[in-house]
Amino acid sequence: HTRLQGDWSSDVCSSDLASAAIMVQRGLAPAQARLNFAPLGPDNTAVVGPISQRQIVVLKGRRLSALDPFTGVPLWTREGITPGSGLLGNDDELFVVPPETLEAQVYGARDGASRGTARMPPSSWWLTPRGGQLVVWGRPLDRQVLALRDLASGEDVWSREFPTGSLVAQVEGEEALVLDGRGHLTCVDLTRGEVRFETDLEPGESINELQVVRTGEHYLVMANRPLPNGPTIVRHSQNVHLTVNGTVHLLERASGKWLWSAAMERQQFDPQQPAGLPLVTFASHVFEPRRGGNGLEQRFLMTSLDRRTGKLLYEESRGDEPLHFIDYRIDEEAQTIELQLFQSVVKFTFSEK
């Protein structure tokens, strides 16, 4: 039961599908499109599409509706939509993308009238939607290209080429950071395609994934290697956590200036942790071969780094601490930060030095 507005609400998913889930990941997931698709399932599963001051678009089963954002009253409705379709668009046009297809159905956003179809780029190219446009990352004619594709015309608004084998991470739908095999990092503004900055990082070996989080005045850049073979499993206590297994770099957001780098293995980063703290914390729950015996044992891993220098502040590996949450308690007057875990507390005291 999801509340969409202060004085009205709409059931957009069944109670069993709305419950939280524990995510278990073996290895690192490949980069994929950020376009949100409705889950396949019974007719009462749903996904919310483009939201504007004029309307909220909702696909529920096979019914596509535009709702008044102030009253919840349907402005128009269409039946017979393919379940599991993705939604993107702007105030003028709505693109409905059925799964496993390269063709989108196009409807008028104001009246729901059919406007034909639009050719979509391969789904493996999709990076993030921007209204009626789509940021794509693909390899046409053996070239690695980052581009903003206008879906109505099928033309690129802008495009930039990068060395083959480069990795990309989009940041909050506003920027894309591209890392090539030599360690050269480029930040591109997704609106105009302009380069915001370029910097060089120490190239890592076997890097297969790039993750970037804006945290306060910095970028946290995570260049990951594949997790080791075997029974090691990184368990996500929440699905917002990012797996980290490689090198972490901290850059100034304004200039892209490199500040520090640190190796990190079998960890997770919670992008929702407070951004203005003088420390950066990584924590994970792993299963590994039992020492001196058969089967697996579970271990809690936690690492905290000084945000200013990247130096190690705290490191822990123990078998009796479940990773349910980390609660940050900050006392500015005493200059202390407490990380409250399920069964224990880790306390940091900072100075101005």
Side-chain angles (χ1 to χ4, degrees):
H1 188 70
T2 302
R3 183 162 295 279
L4 301 176
Q5 180 68 18
D7 55 358
W8 65 272
S9 62
S10 176
D11 290 317
V12 296
C13 61
S14 62
S15 59
D16 57 332
L17 292 175
S19 59
I22 297 293
M23 299 291 292
V24 178
Q25 179 173 323
R26 297 177 184 267
L28 299 177
Q32 55 186 329
R34 272 40 177 202
L35 181 60
N36 190 25
F37 277 83
L40 292 174
D43 287 343
N44 59 351
T45 60
V47 67
V48 178
I51 298 176
S52 68
Q53 294 182 344
R54 182 180 295 116
Q55 63 188 19
I56 299 173
V57 177
V58 177
L59 174 61
K60 186 175 182 180
R62 296 181 175 273
R63 176 180 298 174
L64 180 67
S65 303
L67 309 179
D68 185 297
F70 300 102
T71 66
V73 174
L75 302 175
W76 54 260
T77 298
R78 292 194 67 96
E79 301 285 353
I81 305 299
T82 302
S85 294
L87 306 175
L88 68 161
N90 50 33
D91 285 342
D92 181 50
E93 290 184 314
L94 176 67
F95 298 84
V96 180
V97 190
E100 309 293 334
T101 183
L102 295 180
E103 190 172 73
Q105 300 295 320
V106 186
Y107 301 99
R110 298 188 181 187
D111 56 10
S114 177
R115 295 189 181 180
T117 61
R119 184 73 175 172
M120 297 290 292
S123 59
S124 59
W125 292 13
W126 302 353
L127 195 59
T128 186
R130 295 178 59 85
Q133 300 170 333
L134 188 64
V135 179
V136 295
W137 173 254
R139 295 188 60 185
L141 302 177
D142 292 327
R143 298 176 296 130
Q144 189 70 67
V145 175
L146 177 69
L148 180 63
R149 179 74 51 85
D150 182 79
L151 298 179
S153 66
E155 301 293 329
D156 289 342
V157 179
W158 55 261
S159 65
R160 287 191 171 273
E161 291 191 25
F162 293 90
T164 300
S166 297
L167 300 172
V168 66
Q170 67 89 19
V171 185
E172 299 183 14
E174 299 176 359
E175 301 161 326
L177 274 73
V178 180
L179 180 68
D180 67 21
R182 300 170 300 159
H184 190 70
L185 185 72
T186 304
C187 178
V188 180
D189 176 84
L190 294 182
T191 301
R192 300 179 179 86
E194 298 173 349
V195 173
R196 290 195 58 246
F197 65 77
E198 297 179 84
T199 192
D200 289 311
L201 306 176
E202 182 177 346
E205 297 182 0
S206 304
I207 302 300
N208 71 332
E209 183 188 48
L210 180 69
Q211 299 185 115
V212 180
V213 175
R214 283 198 312 218
T215 167
E217 299 177 352
H218 302 106
Y219 292 100
L220 194 67
V221 179
M222 294 160 277
N224 286 328
R225 301 186 304 273
L227 285 167
N229 294 326
T232 297
I233 300 174
V234 179
R235 191 174 82 178
H236 294 235
S237 59
Q238 300 179 25
N239 59 7
V240 297
H241 286 52
L242 304 175
T243 299
V244 184
N245 190 70
T247 306
V248 177
H249 310 274
L250 194 75
L251 310 179
E252 286 185 352
R253 181 175 170 184
S255 64
K257 178 183 177 181
W258 172 86
L259 299 177
W260 52 260
S261 299
M264 196 69 57
E265 294 184 353
R266 300 189 306 164
Q267 282 289 9
Q268 296 172 296
F269 176 75
D270 178 5
Q272 297 179 351
Q273 67 181 266
L277 300 183
L279 56 80
V280 182
T281 298
F282 303 82
S284 65
H285 200 182
V286 304
F287 291 85
E288 55 189 17
R290 188 179 303 278
R291 301 172 187 179
N294 298 324
L296 302 177
E297 64 177 2
Q298 55 185 350
R299 300 202 63 79
F300 167 74
L301 309 178
M302 190 174 85
T303 301
S304 292
L305 304 178
D306 189 320
R307 178 186 290 271
R308 300 163 294 187
T309 64
K311 292 183 178 179
L312 179 65
L313 296 177
Y314 182 81
E315 190 170 40
E316 181 176 26
S317 173
R318 51 191 291 188
D320 60 348
E321 180 71 68
L323 178 57
H324 293 312
F325 60 85
I326 298 179
D327 188 14
Y328 293 81
R329 300 296 177 90
I330 304 166
D331 188 331
E332 294 185 5
E333 184 175 346
Q335 294 186 310
T336 62
I337 299 175
E338 289 186 354
L339 275 55
Q340 296 193 349
L341 309 174
F342 187 71
Q343 295 183 161
S344 60
V345 176
V346 180
K347 185 176 181 179
F348 298 89
T349 301
F350 292 87
S351 67
E352 298 297 331
K353 296 180 181 181

